[in-house]
Structure formats: C-alpha cells, structure tokens
Amino acid sequence: MARTVLVTGSSQGLGATIAKTLAAQGANVIVNYYKSKDAAEALVEEIGKEKAIALYADVTKRDEVEEMVKQGTEHFGQIDVVVNNALVGFKFDPVKQKSFADLDWEDYQQQIDGTLKAAFNVAQSVVPQFIERKKGSIISIGTNLYQNPVVPYHEYTTAKAGLIGFTRNIAAELGQHGITANVVSGGLLKTTNASAVTTPEVFDLIAQSTPIRKVTTPQDVANMVAYLASEQADGVTGQNITVDGGLTMN
C-alpha cells in the first residue's frame, strides 16, 4: 500500500491496531495523539520511524488539525487517506451509563464535537490536496449500536448515526474529484480502553447473539479499514460497512 494514512486517536486501542495494520501492508502512517504522547511515540518506534510519525492535535480544534495536516504532508509529501477514529471522553460502561432522563445536552454535545466536528475538521483540512490530485479517501469509524442499541449509549450512538449522513453527503459531492468516503461500523470491541469496563456478561451476551459466536476484535475492524484504504476499494463510496460478526445485518 504505497499510501500515507492519517489515523486520528491512534496512540492506543483501535487506532493503534489500525495504524499497525496499515503499516504492515506498506503504508506510511501519521499517528495522531492528544494526551498519550508516550504511547504514540512508542507506537512509532514499533512501526519504524521511516514509516510513521507521531503528531499532536486535539481534533475538535480546527487550527490544531490544520497544523497536524501541514506537518504530516511536509513529512511524507502528501496524505492519501484519513481515518476518523478518535473517541472523545466516552466509556462503554453499561452500569454507569446515564439514563435518558439523567442526560444533559452537554453530554450529547461532547460526542457530537468529538465525532462530527472532528471528522469535519479533518476532512476539510485534507480535501484541498485530495481535489488537487483527483484522489483521496475518507474513512470514519462508526458503530452498529445505531442499528441495534443493545445498551442505550444515547449520546455516543446519536453522534455516530450523524456521521453516516455526513459521510454520504461528502461522498456524493466529492466523488467527482476522485474522493471516496465510507464508514466502518464495528460492534463492541474486545477489548479497547473504551470497552475495558464492559462486563463479561455483556460480552458473552453479544457473542452468543452473533452467527459466528464471537465478539468483534480491533483487528477485525482494522482489516476492513485497511481494505478501504487500499486501491482495491477505489470503487467503494458512501457505504456504511458493518463489522460485527453478523450481529446486525443490512
């Protein structure tokens, strides 16, 4: 994969798995971090400094995103693919999750900013060079919970559902410039930092509900992202591809 990929929130968890998978297939990787600088730099060391660079940015802040894109472009010459993976301030905890009656709008706003505003900032910052080259791919991480809210994570799921509308609109407008946009919606992943507090009972329930009797792993999702980031997927756009072992079926 002779492409350079920016993966937001990739110092650990799913993002780190995506970064390592892409690098193993030949891509250059920009490892974006916000708080976990040490983890990001350790990941770059693992991948190899000739193939990866760690760059700071709070993806909800446009000026920081533009600076990250500028630095990544100068380092590798160009950016070919972006993966909107960063997760802002959310834990998949079915015990502590607020009921709808207890939620504040600020809870929704935090997830909307972390999901939609972040994707907007990243996409708008890279699209000019995509249009100039008539080539580019925007991949965003969604969730199967909008189809099957086995646990009602209200604010998180609502923001991710909006991400699908965002993606399909930019796919429709930017396709004429050779730009694709897709969503990869995983199930609850076993295990990331965000799902570390999920109880074994919930994982078991999900596993027994899937046709293949297993919980989705970060590697399962990373494999689909790697496909969409490759030339083999240049004809795929505007899609929400679910990777959850068949728990939900489109």
Side-chain angles (χ1 to χ4, degrees):
M1 189 188 299
R3 294 183 172 187
T4 295
V5 186
L6 163 62
V7 185
T8 67
S10 53
S11 61
Q12 54 193 336
L14 174 60
T17 302
I18 291 171
K20 288 187 283 188
T21 301
L22 291 166
Q25 295 187 15
N28 298 319
V29 181
I30 299 169
V31 177
N32 160 245
Y33 69 92
Y34 174 45
K35 295 180 178 179
S36 304
K37 180 180 180 179
D38 290 345
E41 292 180 345
L43 180 58
V44 169
E45 289 285 347
E46 180 181 350
I47 292 172
K49 290 185 177 180
E50 73 284 356
K51 298 292 293 182
I53 183 175
L55 293 178
Y56 166 86
D58 176 348
V59 289
T60 66
K61 296 180 179 179
R62 180 61 174 266
D63 59 338
E64 294 186 8
V65 170
E66 289 184 345
E67 180 61 24
M68 172 180 63
V69 168
K70 177 184 176 182
Q71 291 180 26
T73 301
E74 290 175 349
H75 185 82
F76 286 117
Q78 64 186 52
I79 296 173
D80 302 286
V81 182
V82 294
V83 181
N84 293 308
N85 166 79
L87 177 62
V88 177
F90 194 83
K91 297 289 186 182
F92 298 102
D93 189 337
V95 176
K96 294 184 179 180
Q97 170 64 31
K98 293 180 183 179
S99 67
F100 178 69
D102 293 329
L103 284 164
D104 297 314
W105 177 249
E106 286 73 18
D107 296 314
Y108 281 87
Q109 192 65 59
Q110 181 185 47
Q111 292 309 305
I112 289 170
D113 287 349
T115 296
L116 286 174
K117 185 179 181 181
F120 171 83
N121 287 341
V122 173
Q124 275 205 340
S125 296
V126 299
V127 156
Q129 62 176 283
F130 286 1
I131 291 176
E132 182 178 355
R133 294 195 307 272
K134 296 291 184 181
K135 194 80 166 179
S137 176
I138 300 165
I139 304 167
S140 298
I141 302 301
T143 180
N144 69 346
L145 287 169
Y146 90 100
Q147 289 177 272
N148 181 36
V150 59
V151 177
Y153 294 116
H154 299 276
E155 63 275 44
Y156 171 82
T157 305
T158 300
K160 291 293 190 180
L163 188 62
I164 295 174
F166 170 82
T167 297
R168 287 177 172 163
N169 276 284
I170 60 176
E173 179 179 329
L174 300 178
Q176 63 184 311
H177 302 294
I179 300 169
T180 61
N182 294 284
V183 176
V184 178
S185 290
L188 182 65
L189 303 182
K190 190 175 182 179
T191 306
T192 64
N193 289 346
S195 66
V197 293
T198 300
T199 62
E201 290 77 15
V202 170
F203 279 127
D204 290 342
L205 173 64
I206 293 172
Q208 293 307 310
S209 300
T210 65
I212 60 176
R213 299 297 188 269
K214 67 181 288 290
V215 178
T216 308
T217 67
Q219 190 63 60
D220 293 329
V221 175
N223 291 340
M224 179 55 68
V225 172
Y227 164 68
L228 290 173
S230 72
E231 293 183 358
Q232 283 73 30
D234 283 352
V236 181
T237 195
Q239 302 304 308
N240 174 42
I241 301 174
T242 306
V243 182
D244 66 358
L247 181 63
T248 58
M249 297 187 184
N250 294 321

